[in-house]
Structure formats: C-alpha cells, structure tokens
Amino acid sequence: MARSGGQNRGPFVFALSGIVLATVYGVLAARLDWFPSPQIALAETTVRDLSAHWKNDLKLEPNRHLVEAYAKGPTAGSERGYRVVAPDAVAEGYVLVAGLNPAQDESFHAVTLYDAAGKQVHRWPVFYERLDPEGNPPQNVMLHGMEVLEDGSLIVTFDVGNAMARIDACGEPMWITSGGFHHSITRDDKGLLWSWRGDDIVAVDENTGEVVRDLPLRTRILNAGGGQQGVFGMHASTENAAGLQFSADPFHANDVEPLTADLAPAFPMFEEGDLLISLRELNLVAVIEPDEGRLRWYRHGPWHRQHDPDFEPDGTITVFDNSTGLGRSRIRRVDPATGDVTDAVPLRDDARFYTWQRGKHQTLPNGNVLVTEAERGRVLEIAPDGSLVWEREVAWDDDRNVIITEARHVPSTFFADGPPSCVPHRQS
C-alpha cells in the first residue's frame, strides 16, 4: 500500500516541481529579461497599441497624432486657438509649428508658419509617401525633426520613419536620404545637419543629403575610454563574457547639438564643434568631442526623461525637463563650470506646462522662452519672469488637439526673399 501511495504521489510531486520551477524561471525571466519575457512584453505592447489606434491604422481617424486638449471646448471659443496675454512682450519674427496637418485634404503632416500677430503666413505640406514610398504609411509615422533654411525650404525627419529630406515651399523633395533619423535636427555653422540615426550621431550635408560624419554610440562613444562604459552602459549586462548586452532602447537618444563658433567663447571648458547630447533613458546630458566621442562633461539629472538641451550665450546649458510622472514639466539651467542647477524661468499658473514625453524649448533673443508642450498640442511663449506672453492650441475637435512635435522661432529677417509661398512656376 505504501508503495502504491508513493507511486500515486509521484505524478503530483513531478507536476508541483514543474510549477515551482516554471514560477521561479518566470520571476527570473522578468527580472533578468530572459526568454520569453521580452517577446511577451513586445506582444502585450503591440496588442495594446493596436487596440488603442486601430482607427488610425485603418485610416479612419489619425488618433495616434491626437491628444486631450489643454482647454476643452468649442474650437472657435476664446480658450482655444491663439491667445495673446502680453502683446507688447511678443518676440518679433515668425514661429513654425510642426505636426499633423489639421487640413487633411492637403497632406497628412505639415509645418505652419505664423507671424508675430499669430496670423498664418505659410504652410508646408509634408508628403511622407513621396519620401519613402515603400515604407510605413503616413498615418503610422510622426513628423518630428525639423529645420528651416533661408530659402524657405525645410529639412524633416520622422519617428518610426525611414527618411530625412529637404523639401521646398510646396513640399516637393529637393533630396531624400534613407535611414531611421529621428527626434531632432540641428544645423551648425558649416552647412551640416546633426541628428541621430538609430544610436549613431550623424552629420548630413544640407545641400546634398550626404551623410559625411558617423559616430556610433554603442561601438565608439561607449568604448572611448576613461570609464565611459560606466557612464553610458548603465543599462547593459554581460552574457558569458561576450561583451555588453543591451535590451531594447536602453538609451533613447533624442538630441544632438554642436557648439558653434559664436557660442564657443562662452564655454572655455569645451571646444568649437563639441556635441551636446541627450539620452532620455539614462537621464543623461553630456558634451562629447566629435571624433572619438570622448567625454568633456556629463550630468545625470536632476531632470527626468529630459529632451532638447541647448547651449546658451551666457555659458549655461538649458534642458527641457519632462519630469515624467510628476504632472509638471520645466526648463532647467545647468552651469557646466560649477554644476549649479536652477530653474531657467519661474512659472506662474497660466504658464505651467506638462508633457510626459517629447517637448522642446528655445530661448529667444528678447529673453523669452518658446515651449513646445507636445502632449497637449500647445505652444507657449513665456517671459523671463515666468508670465505667459501667448499660447496656441492646434485644435482637432472640441476635446482634442494635434500633437505638436516642435515649434521654432526665426527672426523677421530670416528668409532671404521674404516669407515662403507656393506659387506654380511660370514659363517665360
């Protein structure tokens, strides 16, 4: 009988052991990112994304590009659209706003130019399908990087896209360069456009679209010596001494800006051409030299999931601090000489902003700050004392705005032949 009972317990013990082992492995797989944890996580993310955005993917409604409005209500109401609080404090010049085109009969994406009175002056239609005919459909990519040139042409890049392109005032391509460029474009004073292509810093000739510089983060910057693996490899692990292993998107590189000749004297600890970079997942802002990627300076926080660090004329660096999860973003100022960090502007109630992802800023010639509050579809100009000068919401309907990926200010004298326009060429 005892023997028979032991035999009966055998399958139960075996099954229980299997359950315990599976549970232990499941816990370790989740913590250490072992198979099949990454695959399960990817599948869950995909299912949630499809369920939330199926209307977008079926071209019924572009809800991947829409967010809850900051001030809900009728789109023609006083709290939506363009609102000026301090007209005498508005910076002279033009403001470009990039994102989904509210006029979908024109093009899916667009960049709109407004004058200092808030009036639309020009709109560049952006036809992604002409830049990457075999790639994702326009509704599944997001216009993100933008740079404007004096002849009225634009340089554009796309999240989840495969192209950087220069387009004319009518949206027609002047050149196209294939590749996964993303997040931002910064023009230097030597005719180069700096951006990220995956995890590589690249410089592109603005006249031809040729990639003329390439600085890989994983193979060169990370291994440039001086302990840089400890700075950039925080999310790395090793497997069987095979070298560093990374999970998906361990850095989330989102900005690169060269130190130009006019600003270099304000930063004696750096050299002209050094690169200011932002890695969101590491809360890291750093300055590296452009050949081997050796560190000149770096700082982990106190910003959280930041974007868009900028060199400033006073020798400081300003950072768009998303402060994800805290409900309020801010612009931080760090002095690389002393390490001191302060708020660049104190924010009054009507000038507060929050975007848990994306977001950009620009210090204007008059001292105001232009803020792109991407996840509310709102642009603000804020005075040095923290008061609101003006705001713009790009409304889609009564409750939703268009995601604004970037707003950019240029002076009134910027365009060589005046504001751009799209006029059909006439034969003489």
Side-chain angles (χ1 to χ4, degrees):
M1 295 293 293
R3 182 179 180 182
S4 176
Q7 289 176 337
N8 290 337
R9 286 195 300 271
F12 172 77
V13 172
F14 178 80
L16 181 60
S17 299
I19 292 172
V20 171
L21 289 173
T23 301
V24 171
Y25 181 85
V27 172
L28 291 174
R31 290 183 177 179
L32 302 178
D33 212 28
W34 291 349
F35 176 86
S37 180
Q39 291 75 16
I40 292 173
L42 178 61
E44 290 177 346
T45 300
T46 301
V47 169
R48 286 196 298 268
D49 181 75
L50 291 174
S51 63
H53 299 121
W54 62 271
K55 289 184 179 181
N56 179 93
D57 299 346
L58 292 178
K59 300 183 180 181
L60 300 176
E61 179 185 65
N63 59 2
R64 286 185 186 274
H65 306 262
L66 303 176
V67 288
E68 185 176 356
Y70 177 76
K72 294 182 180 180
T75 56
S78 61
E79 297 303 318
R80 300 292 295 281
Y82 183 66
R83 183 170 72 95
V84 184
V85 177
D88 293 339
V90 176
E92 66 84 23
Y94 300 101
V95 172
L96 297 89
V97 175
L100 175 74
N101 191 348
Q104 285 286 284
D105 57 335
E106 295 178 350
S107 63
F108 192 85
H109 306 97
V111 176
T112 306
L113 182 70
Y114 300 95
D115 63 18
K119 180 182 178 181
Q120 179 178 320
V121 176
H122 180 65
R123 177 177 283 160
W124 291 264
V126 180
F127 302 98
Y128 182 77
E129 62 274 21
R130 300 180 186 177
L131 310 180
D132 183 24
E134 304 301 321
N136 285 330
Q139 72 270 19
N140 286 349
V141 303
M142 182 166 288
L143 171 62
H144 202 163
M146 173 188 70
E147 185 64 86
V148 60
L149 280 68
E150 291 83 354
D151 66 350
S153 63
L154 287 180
I155 314 292
V156 290
T157 62
F158 304 84
D159 290 346
V160 202
N162 192 48
M164 175 187 288
R166 182 172 177 175
I167 61 174
D168 66 15
C170 299
E172 295 299 324
M174 300 171 67
W175 54 253
I176 303 169
T177 301
S178 297
F181 304 93
H182 56 90
H183 280 82
S184 67
I185 309 168
T186 304
R187 187 186 187 196
D188 70 10
D189 50 1
K190 297 177 175 59
L192 296 180
L193 306 161
W194 292 85
S195 187
W196 287 92
R197 182 176 59 186
D199 285 334
D200 293 1
I201 295 173
V202 293
V204 177
D205 187 303
E206 67 181 36
N207 293 312
T208 66
E210 178 186 3
V211 176
V212 297
R213 301 282 297 276
D214 190 338
L215 182 60
L217 172 55
R218 298 195 186 205
T219 59
R220 288 181 58 190
I221 299 175
L222 189 74
N223 299 309
Q228 291 191 192
Q229 282 194 355
V231 176
F232 295 100
M234 295 175 64
H235 290 177
S237 60
T238 58
E239 294 182 6
N240 300 322
L244 293 179
Q245 305 292 320
F246 290 97
S247 59
D249 197 19
F251 309 110
H252 200 91
N254 58 30
D255 195 71
V256 55
E257 175 179 324
L259 181 59
T260 53
D262 61 327
L263 292 177
F267 295 89
M269 71 290 292
F270 306 141
E271 295 183 9
E272 180 185 344
D274 282 351
L275 302 174
L276 175 61
I277 64 173
S278 170
L279 304 183
R280 189 194 71 181
E281 294 304 286
L282 305 186
N283 300 322
L284 177 68
V285 172
V287 176
I288 60 175
E289 60 85 25
D291 295 319
E292 298 301 325
R294 290 187 297 273
L295 273 169
R296 305 281 198 196
W297 171 87
Y298 71 94
R299 181 75 182 252
H300 290 287
W303 37 80
H304 180 56
R305 298 176 72 82
Q306 81 292 329
H307 289 73
D308 190 28
D310 292 338
F311 289 116
E312 299 292 354
D314 65 354
T316 64
I317 293 169
T318 54
V319 182
F320 189 103
D321 179 7
N322 293 75
S323 296
T324 301
L326 298 182
R328 182 183 299 176
S329 303
R330 53 188 174 175
I331 309 301
R332 304 285 266 166
R333 184 185 303 277
V334 58
D335 186 336
T338 65
D340 292 341
V341 179
T342 57
D343 285 337
V345 289
L347 299 182
R348 301 182 183 179
D349 286 345
D350 61 351
R352 291 178 180 174
F353 57 93
Y354 176 63
T355 178
W356 66 275
Q357 65 175 352
R358 304 186 183 94
K360 296 184 180 180
H361 78 291
Q362 181 184 4
T363 303
L364 305 182
N366 67 348
N368 292 352
V369 178
L370 185 68
V371 172
T372 305
E373 189 181 17
E375 294 302 311
R376 283 178 171 165
R378 183 170 171 239
V379 180
L380 306 84
E381 185 173 328
I382 303 172
D385 65 357
S387 60
L388 182 66
V389 177
W390 61 262
E391 64 180 348
R392 178 183 298 278
E393 293 191 61
V394 180
W396 178 261
D397 56 26
D398 286 359
D399 298 318
R400 293 174 298 176
N401 287 342
V402 169
I403 292 174
I404 298 172
T405 51
E406 181 163 1
R408 179 78 64 87
H409 174 275
V410 296
S412 57
T413 57
F414 179 81
F415 296 105
D417 298 317
S421 62
C422 181
V423 179
H425 296 290
R426 296 180 180 179
Q427 294 183 350
S428 57

